[in-house]
Amino acid sequence: MTRTPTGRPAGARRRMTLKEAERFITLLAEAHPNAESELDFVDDYTLLVAVALSAQATDASVNRATKGLFRDAPTPAAMVALGEEAVGTHIRTIGLWRTKARNVVALSQALLDRHGGQVPHDRAALEALPGVGRKTANVVMNVAFGDSTMAVDTHIFRIGNRTGLAPGKTPRAVEDQLVARIPAPMLRPAHHWLILHGRYVCKARRPECWRCPATEPCQYTGKVLIAP
Ligand code: SF4
């Protein structure tokens, strides 16, 4: 556990004000002007599958697995025809691959049965698909349909709490705070700015505050301002 010089556990000094929250997001936006998803996909369907596979896995590992998977099965019908066992051989390097192989085939069948093989632009319909939870639905709605949703992954949950941007005990609580506190026009891209910031700068074990663009509004008491 990181501690402050007084020996206290490091954490957010307080919740950011709305002005500070806007400043924080603006500084991340300037640092990542071309931010977008790091998952490889070619359409709404391959996006949905890639996001469903990415739970507890890195985007790089998912991209390695989906290269062959999407070549063999680029559509829901082709995925169902490929079958669970063959899907499993493609994604065996990803965590929870057995469950994910079953879900990918089942969600493909559900898309054919309920939505004419299309990815629905509807939260409830997305969350009713096998293996699709709120986070996956939020990413698909954000990236595929341009909705102002906020998918809270491990990086965004950490940043929300560590910096005081959006403190909350659960991913849903952090999501609600972010949606309420980030100016509406910035909300959709903010998802990508926050993920990239958490992945490459505000890292889990030791945030690299010495090269962070947003130290000023950040309320973290354990900032590491000198590079080791
Ligand atoms: S890297 Fe450091 S200064 Fe930047 S947001 Fe994270 S904790 Fe705050």
Side-chain angles (χ1 to χ4, degrees):
M1 178 188 292
T2 305
R3 292 186 178 274
T4 65
T6 60
R8 287 193 177 161
R13 181 176 292 109
R14 58 172 170 76
R15 193 170 75 149
M16 285 183 205
T17 63
L18 286 178
K19 206 170 168 193
E20 287 166 338
E22 181 172 350
R23 177 91 181 122
F24 185 84
I25 293 295
T26 300
L27 290 167
L28 296 193
E30 289 169 3
H32 305 286
N34 303 311
E36 54 183 29
S37 173
E38 293 190 320
L39 286 171
D40 291 340
F41 60 96
V42 294
D43 56 17
D44 297 352
Y45 172 66
T46 49
L47 170 68
L48 172 62
V49 172
V51 178
L53 292 176
S54 70
Q56 295 181 41
T58 64
D59 286 359
S61 71
V62 172
N63 290 341
R64 279 194 294 277
T66 55
K67 200 170 178 190
L69 178 66
F70 293 158
R71 184 192 59 224
D72 288 359
T75 65
M79 195 69 79
V80 171
L82 189 63
E84 189 179 322
E85 199 178 323
V87 171
T89 62
H90 279 292
I91 66 169
R92 203 157 287 193
T93 50
I94 303 178
L96 309 174
W97 66 271
R98 285 177 206 278
T99 305
K100 288 176 179 175
R102 189 164 56 244
N103 283 338
V104 164
V105 173
L107 78 81
S108 301
Q109 185 66 61
L111 289 178
L112 292 168
D113 294 344
R114 299 177 209 158
H115 305 290
Q118 301 298 308
V119 175
H121 184 182
D122 179 89
R123 174 184 296 288
L126 283 168
E127 290 187 19
L129 295 169
V132 177
R134 185 174 182 88
K135 181 162 78 83
T136 297
N138 274 336
V139 175
V140 171
M141 291 167 72
N142 181 302
V143 177
F145 303 119
D147 291 349
S148 293
T149 54
M150 178 57 70
V152 176
D153 72 347
T154 178
H155 297 299
I156 296 184
F157 184 76
R158 180 177 68 252
I159 292 172
N161 280 291
R162 176 187 273 168
T163 68
L165 174 66
K169 286 191 166 44
T170 64
R172 182 61 195 272
V174 170
E175 177 187 329
D176 290 345
Q177 288 257 327
L178 289 170
V179 169
R181 312 193 78 225
I182 294 176
M186 304 177 93
L187 193 55
R188 196 183 79 79
H191 163 74
H192 301 294
W193 298 329
L194 287 165
I195 286 180
L196 292 180
H197 186 58
R199 202 172 274 168
Y200 299 114
V201 181
C202 196
K203 297 178 180 175
R205 291 216 174 155
R206 182 165 57 183
E208 299 182 1
C209 311
W210 64 89
R211 60 189 195 89
C212 173
T215 50
E216 170 224 321
C218 171
Q219 297 300 313
Y220 185 50
T221 56
K223 288 178 195 166
V224 185
L225 293 170
I226 297 173

